[in-house]
Each structure stands twice: as structure tokens, then as C-alpha cells.
């Protein structure tokens, strides 16, 4: 059983499901996830796409939905009797599901824990008593778990397998209907509409200011699978004085980019791995932000900064997300070659933290080994 609750969990879960099926075609993989997991052959008990888009898992109003999901998962454990439950992400109701699975005799494993995203105040003592094994995707996460007495093994980050080599810039720009010879700013504003609504208009206004500074750029906005393109089109239609293309998957948009403006999540790490200078933005309603802070006291909010344990990518969070500073930082990272190279030099340290290719394969082997033990 695989259980994921956000866009990144869906992506990592899909890669994991494909490997599990390749290695054991007769096995059954089911659980909670999104369209990518469904496409990978996971029999979904619940599709979380709409809830992710609306930010249900990050707000108090989603508590009753979470309660129903937990009940559904518990009932399915009784009906299907899986050997292993693998949780992927799930910052909100992770420990409750682990408690239920442990009581029912399942092997409990965790892939992409809150610690992998820089959560430094986590109920590690309780967590250690509920999880059989953490499948570590970063060295920081693995070492943090081991120091807390949690059984953890480092396999490497799935993005090392999922991020492809960059394609020729002009080829990708032609496919995206971008003009040759003009700098391109890629905007990847988040996987939830509440994020996109609060971030994208300000980002587009900042880019619009560049022409006054004699910087003639073009912009491409990537739309996450959990966000309606019509919703993004409506926001973009209100922008004035800038060339904007909406569309293209994450990889293509980053291939085309001279600079990326990303959300604070995994996409910031993807940009860094692809060698694209970037800055990170995040603004949501105050209640959602405060709720997030209850669960995560993060010295740095952006995933790539947490992995590097250093403030490499400039962060624009909530009240610090101001138009003037944003414009200044965009200009700096477009025009100051020394600043760009300094950032890319810091990104070069990522492979040491994230491990070698083949991480998803190694994770699948760990899960199958745990399942085999339960079968005996």
C-alpha cells in the first residue's frame, strides 16, 4: 500500500510503483495518490488531486476530510491485508496512519519524510516507535533519523533519477513558441491554486517592471497537474506589458530558462539539479501559513536550501514577498554573471547530498524485502 498526499508524493509514488511492478509483476499496488500514481498502475482508493489544488492538507478546514481518509485507509487494511504500508510525504496525518498500521501488524515504511524537507521540530521519539524503516532520500534526513534512534537507510533522492539532462535551449524554446535570442524567465508558482493565486500576479508585475530597466525578457509559466490551466490563463490575462506563454512541463520550461522563479517545494531542487539559477516565492493566506508553521519550524523554507543547509536560493516568503526586492533580485540573477556562477557552484554540491542514480530501484528493493519477510 502506497499513500501520498501532495503533488511531489504523487510523482515519487508513481516512480516507485513502476519499479515495484517491474520487479514483481504479480504484486498488487494500491493506495492514495494522484493521476501520476494512477497512470503508473496504482489502484487508487482516493484521488487527492482536487484537495491538493485547494490546499486542503495545509489548512484546518481539511481536518474532517483527513479524518475520513484515515478511516478509509484503516478499513482497506482490514479488507486487503497488505504486507507493507509505505507513506510518502504526508506531513499532516502521518503518525496516526503509522499507529493504525502498526496495530494491524503491517510493516511500516516511510519515503520522503518531513525531515527531508527541513522540518527540524518533529515528534521523532514517537515516530521512532511506529516506523520500521525510513527510506532516506537525503543524507541530512537519514542522519537526522539515525540520531533520533529511527532505523533509516540512505538510498538517494528520486529526483536524481527523474531529472533528465537538459535539451538544446533553442530547440525547446521553439517548441514552446518562445522567441530566439531573448532571455527567458520560467515561472513555476506551485501545485496549489491558493499558492498560484497569491504568487503569480506579483511575479508577473515584477517581470513587467524589467522593461523600464531596459531588460526585454519573455516569460513561460508552467502549470502543475493539480492546477487548472484555465485558472492560470485568467491570472495571466491580467498581466500587462510582458510576453507570457502558458504551458510546457517542468522539464521543458526549465530547459528553456535563463532564470527560474519557483515555489519553495521540490521544483526548486529540480531547477538546481538542472543548473538553472533560481529564486523561490511563497505566499498563502495567513491561516494556512500559520498552520504550516505549527508543523514545521524551518530555518529555511526552500527545499534546495534545506538540502544544502545554506541560504543559496533567495527566498521571498509571506510579508517578505515584496515587489521592489523581487525586481532587484531578478535583475541581479539575469545580469550579474558572477552571482549566477556563484549560485551554480553551490548547486554542484547537491549530488553529494542526494546520492547516485538508481535510488528508486534501491527503494523498491527495500520495500520488496520487507514484504517478503511478512510473507514468511
Amino acid at each position: 500500500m502506497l499513500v501520498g498526499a501532495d503533488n511531489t508524493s504523487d510523482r515519487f509514488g508513481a516512480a516507485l510503483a513502476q519499479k515495484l511492478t517491474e520487479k514483481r509483476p504479480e504484486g498488487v499496488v494500491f493506495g492514495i495518490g494522484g493521476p501520476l500514481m494512477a497512470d503508473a498502475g496504482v489502484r487508487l482508493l482516493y484521488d487527492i488531486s482536487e484537495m491538493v489544488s485547494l490546499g486542503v492538507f495545509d489548512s484546518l478546514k481539511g481536518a474532517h476530510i483527513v479524518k475520513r481518509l484515515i478511516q478509509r485507509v484503516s478499513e482497506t487494511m482490514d479488507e486487503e491485508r497488505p504486507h507493507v504500508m509505505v507513506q510518502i510525504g504526508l506531513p499532516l496525518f502521518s503518525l496516526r496512519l503509522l499507529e493504525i498500521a502498526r496495530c494491524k501488524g503491517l510493516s511500516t515504511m516511510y519515503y520522503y519524510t518531513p525531515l527531508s524537507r527541513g522540518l527540524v521540530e518533529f515528534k521523532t521519539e514517537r515516530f521512532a516507535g511506529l516506523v520500521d524503516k525510513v527510506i532516506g532520500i537525503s543524507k541530512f534526513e537519514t542522519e537526522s533519523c539515525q540520531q533520533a534512534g529511527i532505523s533509516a537507510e540512505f538510498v538517494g533522492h528520486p529526483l536524481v533519477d527523474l531529472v533528465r539532462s537538459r535539451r538544446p535551449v533553442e530547440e525547446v524554446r521553439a517548441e514552446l513558441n518562445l522567441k530566439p535570442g531573448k532571455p527567458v524567465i520560467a515561472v513555476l508558482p506551485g501545485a496549489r491554486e491558493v499558492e498560484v493565486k497569491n504568487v503569480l500576479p506579483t511575479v508577473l508585475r515584477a517581470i513587467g517592471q524589467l522593461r523600464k530597466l531596459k531588460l526585454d525578457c519573455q516569460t513561460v509559466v508552467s502549470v502543475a497537474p493539480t492546477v487548472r490551466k484555465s485558472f492560470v490563463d485568467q491570472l495571466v490575462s491580467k498581466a500587462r506589458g510582458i510576453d507570457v506563454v502558458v504551458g510546457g512541463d517542468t522539464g521543458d520550461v526549465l530547459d528553456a530558462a535563463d532564470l527560474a522563479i519557483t515555489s519553495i517545494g521540490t521544483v526548486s531542487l529540480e531547477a538546481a539539479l538542472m543548473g538553472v539559477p533560481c529564486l523561490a516565492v511563497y505566499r498563502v493566506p495567513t491561516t494556512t501559513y500559520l498552520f504550516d508553521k505549527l508543523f514545521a519550524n524551518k530555518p529555511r523554507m526552500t527545499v534546495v536550501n534545506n538540502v544544502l543547509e545554506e541560504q543559496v536560493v533567495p527566498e521571498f516568503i509571506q510579508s517578505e514577498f515584496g515587489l521592489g526586492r523581487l525586481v532587484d533580485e531578478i535583475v541581479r540573477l539575469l545580469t550579474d554573471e558572477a552571482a549566477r556562477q556563484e549560485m551554480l557552484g553551490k548547486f554542484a554540491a547537491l549530488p553529494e547530498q542526494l546520492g547516485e542514480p538508481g535510488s528508486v530501484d534501491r527503494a523498491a528493493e527495500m520495500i520488496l524485502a520487507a514484504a517478503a519477510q511478512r510473507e514468511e
Side-chain angles (χ1 to χ4, degrees):
M1 172 185 279
L2 304 182
V3 183
D6 60 23
N7 197 47
T8 299
S9 299
D10 186 37
R11 187 179 181 190
F12 293 173
L16 195 55
Q18 288 176 337
K19 281 295 180 183
L20 290 169
T21 302
E22 286 175 13
K23 292 176 175 294
R24 191 164 177 179
E26 74 278 11
V28 177
V29 184
F30 63 93
I32 294 174
L36 297 179
M37 287 174 65
D39 289 345
V42 178
R43 176 165 56 84
L44 293 185
L45 306 174
Y46 205 103
D47 187 334
I48 47 83
S49 300
E50 183 176 351
M51 291 186 294
V52 171
S53 176
L54 298 175
V56 165
F57 288 105
D58 301 310
S59 63
L60 293 171
K61 67 182 180 181
H64 68 287
I65 296 177
V66 169
K67 185 177 180 179
R68 289 205 307 269
L69 270 178
I70 290 174
Q71 181 63 34
R72 177 73 183 278
V73 172
S74 178
E75 292 171 354
T76 303
M77 289 178 190
D78 293 331
E79 296 166 0
E80 304 278 353
R81 302 184 66 81
H83 294 102
V84 181
M85 185 186 76
V86 182
Q87 294 195 75
I88 311 169
L90 301 182
L92 183 55
F93 51 95
S94 56
L95 298 187
R96 181 59 185 144
L97 283 181
L98 287 171
E99 287 174 340
I100 294 170
R102 176 58 64 88
C103 288
K104 295 180 184 294
L106 278 68
S107 177
T108 55
M109 307 186 79
Y110 213 133
Y111 190 48
Y112 179 48
T113 73
L115 288 165
S116 69
R117 286 159 287 172
L119 191 152
V120 296
E121 288 187 359
F122 186 59
K123 299 175 182 177
T124 51
E125 184 176 337
R126 182 181 172 207
F127 184 66
L130 295 173
V131 66
D132 293 315
K133 178 75 75 172
V134 166
I135 305 170
I137 68 173
S138 74
K139 290 183 178 178
F140 169 80
E141 172 194 31
T142 307
E143 291 167 2
S144 297
C145 287
Q146 291 170 345
Q147 289 169 6
I150 301 168
S151 178
E153 182 176 333
F154 176 63
V155 298
H157 203 291
L159 277 184
V160 175
D161 293 336
L162 298 176
V163 172
R164 54 174 170 73
S165 301
R166 295 192 71 173
R167 296 170 56 201
V169 172
E170 294 306 327
E171 176 184 314
V172 180
R173 290 183 180 181
E175 291 177 2
L176 293 173
N177 295 316
L178 295 166
K179 301 172 184 175
K182 290 178 63 175
V184 173
I185 300 174
V187 181
L188 303 99
R192 301 175 297 173
E193 290 184 1
V194 66
E195 285 182 81
V196 176
K197 178 182 178 181
N198 283 277
V199 162
L200 188 56
T202 301
V203 169
L204 295 179
R205 282 200 299 273
I207 294 172
Q209 296 287 316
L210 299 181
R211 284 189 176 176
K212 297 178 181 178
L213 302 173
K214 309 300 183 184
L215 280 174
D216 189 14
C217 300
Q218 50 194 332
T219 305
V220 57
V221 179
S222 180
V223 183
T226 48
V227 175
R228 293 168 295 159
K229 184 176 181 297
S230 60
F231 179 79
V232 176
D233 286 335
Q234 185 177 22
L235 294 175
V236 169
S237 69
K238 299 175 183 178
R240 296 290 180 266
I242 59 174
D243 299 323
V244 184
V245 172
V246 178
D249 65 23
T250 299
D252 287 343
V253 166
L254 290 173
D255 277 336
D258 295 288
L259 171 68
I261 301 175
T262 77
S263 67
I264 61 175
T266 307
V267 69
S268 68
L269 184 58
E270 189 161 356
L273 286 170
M274 291 183 68
V276 182
C278 57
L279 53 88
V281 294
Y282 179 76
R283 184 163 60 198
V284 292
T286 302
T287 52
T288 301
Y289 179 69
L290 293 176
F291 182 81
D292 180 58
K293 296 295 282 186
L294 288 175
F295 287 87
N297 179 17
K298 302 176 183 178
R300 293 165 291 272
M301 291 288 287
T302 303
V303 168
V304 65
N305 289 339
N306 283 316
V307 172
L308 292 171
E309 299 185 67
E310 182 181 353
Q311 192 81 14
V312 176
V313 172
E315 296 183 347
F316 297 80
I317 311 296
Q318 294 297 105
S319 61
E320 297 177 359
F321 186 12
L323 184 64
R325 178 172 166 248
L326 184 60
V327 171
D328 291 343
E329 200 61 44
I330 292 172
V331 171
R332 185 178 76 91
L333 288 175
L334 278 175
T335 63
D336 187 338
E337 189 59 30
R340 290 171 59 85
Q341 291 304 317
E342 180 182 5
M343 182 178 288
L344 294 177
K346 299 282 188 180
F347 290 167
L350 285 169
E352 182 180 347
Q353 275 291 323
L354 302 180
E356 299 294 327
S359 66
V360 180
D361 188 274
R362 292 188 288 272
E365 289 288 354
M366 287 179 62
I367 294 167
L368 291 174
Q373 288 182 339
R374 293 287 167 168
E375 288 177 325
E376 294 175 356

